[in-house]
Amino acid sequence: MMNAGEPELITALSDATIGLHGWIVIDSTLLGPAFGGIRRARYRDDDDALADARRLARAMRDKCALAGLAAGGAKAVLVDRGEGHDWPAVYAALGREVESLGGRWVCGPDVGTGAEQLGWVRRTTLHCNPASNDASRSTADGVLAAMRAVWLALGARDARGRTVVVQGLGGVGGRVARGLVDAGATVIAADPDPDACARGRDHGVTIAAVDALASIPCDVLAPCALGHAIDLEAAARWPCRAICGAANNMLVPGADSILHARGVVVVPDVIASAGAVIEGVCTVLGHDDPITRTRIAERIAAIEHTTASVLAEAAARGLPSAVIASERARTRLDSPRLGLR
Ligand code: NAD
């Protein structure tokens, strides 16, 4: 049986001398070693930080299950208080914790943790996403694959002539936006980072103000910034026909029913954003050779098929797509060998 309630492991991390404060949450290793990144962010308080780690670890569990991977879900959060942190030492200390778990959790990048920080983690553990992986590129490829299924669900052939609003032009959103421009879409995007905006503009992306995005009518909204981008009010009003993006936990609880009632097609982020974990699991549990790389590309491209199938079942049963995704993840967790690819 799947662990419906509590995570398998919650470890508090604390060392005031280096500014370490955070948690590791391993939600489940039922399907295999847990995968999931290290988030470094500012939080309202400790409850907020731990709740985020728990939500994100559970989402990783479902992401792996839905992608047919022999892997479970985990996450760590490091609380950023803005000062008093020796980050290289903090990440090295976290690496020692990862190492002590003996491979039960393989850590990787997340918001606030990129190549430099993972370099510090690798000083003290082997259980880390390989440096040769490009998580943002793989995730963007997966979002673009999911979007191909969305065009069909909207009765269109492809992206040509469609309008997509991209929220966030970072590692993933920037690539998604550029890929959509290349595919013939009109792309309107916003990001508080002027450099990210300049890179998008250079590639034909129209830049809007962050606050203006929610009033721009579009075919698809692609949330590629932080989680909970769609609150209940946004769910009720955002002038889009579909939502498909990378941001983990992009909907607040309750938003999916409102969007469903409005007839907005929603691709669950646990499906659309699986590219990086597919690459991570395949290179860590397999080999990093040309055959594996081809296999990874095929599996990321297969996100189109998974998306189409979940959207079709949701339409046929008249249910929000998140319900279908959750049912399928549960089925997989109850029968670990089912759907293994
Ligand atoms: P990133 O930090 O590179 O980019 C996020 C971008 O969002 C930044 O450029 C930031 O300035 C911008 N941003 C912040 N607030 C914004 C706002 N209110 N409006 C518009 N833009 C805003 O992160 P990323 O790696 O591109 O990841 C994006 C999202 O996708 C995150 O939620 C992440 O958890 C999720 N995700 C990423 C990966 C991956 O492989 N990188 C995998 C799965 C899920």
Side-chain angles (χ1 to χ4, degrees):
M1 277 294 289
M2 66 187 286
N3 57 334
E6 288 303 299
E8 277 179 23
L9 175 98
I10 298 179
T11 301
L13 307 165
S14 179
D15 182 345
T17 61
I18 54 173
L20 167 63
H21 188 63
W23 287 266
I24 295 170
V25 176
I26 297 182
D27 188 89
S28 167
T29 54
L30 207 60
L31 299 180
F35 282 69
I38 302 164
R39 177 160 297 196
R40 177 172 52 143
R42 295 190 180 225
Y43 288 98
R44 221 176 27 246
D45 53 33
D46 281 1
D47 288 347
D48 186 30
L50 180 56
D52 199 32
R54 291 177 62 130
R55 268 194 307 268
L56 290 163
R58 177 128 312 178
M60 285 307 297
R61 178 199 72 179
D62 289 354
K63 199 180 285 195
C64 291
L66 285 157
L69 297 167
K75 210 79 175 190
V77 297
L78 294 174
V79 175
D80 183 348
R81 294 196 169 116
E83 56 183 6
H85 301 284
D86 177 350
W87 288 119
V90 166
Y91 277 95
L94 176 58
R96 278 189 287 278
E97 287 291 333
V98 178
E99 191 62 19
S100 74
L101 291 167
R104 198 169 157 197
W105 172 38
V106 180
C107 65
D110 197 272
V111 173
T113 301
E116 185 181 30
Q117 292 75 22
L118 289 185
W120 298 329
V121 173
R122 289 193 198 96
R123 288 179 184 164
T124 49
T125 184
L126 291 170
H127 305 296
C128 183
N129 196 44
S132 52
N133 285 351
D134 186 341
S136 311
R137 190 197 56 206
S138 294
T139 303
D141 287 350
V143 172
L144 291 167
M147 209 141 341
R148 288 195 285 277
V150 170
W151 301 130
L152 299 182
L154 293 181
R157 237 170 207 266
D158 52 37
R160 277 174 296 177
R162 304 286 136 201
T163 301
V164 183
V165 159
V166 180
Q167 186 185 46
L169 287 169
V172 178
R175 285 179 169 86
V176 167
R178 294 193 293 274
L180 287 165
V181 169
D182 292 344
T186 297
V187 181
I188 304 165
D191 193 304
D193 176 354
D195 293 338
C197 291
R199 282 192 295 276
R201 201 181 282 113
D202 287 348
H203 203 91
V205 175
T206 301
I207 302 299
V210 167
D211 294 341
L213 276 198
S215 54
I216 299 171
C218 60
D219 293 294
V220 181
L221 163 65
C224 294
L226 289 181
H228 288 179
I230 316 293
D231 60 18
L232 298 180
E233 197 189 325
R237 296 202 183 154
W238 207 300
C240 60
R241 299 168 64 207
I243 299 180
C244 175
N248 288 312
N249 297 328
M250 62 188 184
L251 306 181
V252 301
D256 61 338
S257 326
I258 297 172
L259 290 160
H260 175 68
R262 285 180 55 207
V264 176
V265 172
V266 179
V267 181
D269 51 72
V270 286
I271 295 174
S273 71
V277 77
I278 290 172
E279 182 186 38
V281 172
C282 292
T283 51
V284 170
L285 302 184
H287 302 279
D288 195 356
D289 57 24
I291 294 172
T292 306
R293 285 282 156 194
T294 304
R295 215 39 210 114
I296 290 168
E298 287 168 2
R299 292 181 77 141
I300 293 174
I303 288 175
E304 175 180 353
H305 172 73
T306 307
T307 304
S309 156
V310 166
L311 294 181
E313 186 177 343
R317 292 173 59 195
L319 291 170
S321 54
V323 173
I324 310 299
S326 172
E327 280 181 8
R328 289 190 184 192
R330 183 177 293 264
T331 303
R332 175 86 207 291
L333 285 152
D334 283 343
S335 317
R337 297 211 55 77
L338 194 76
L340 203 59
R341 294 200 286 264

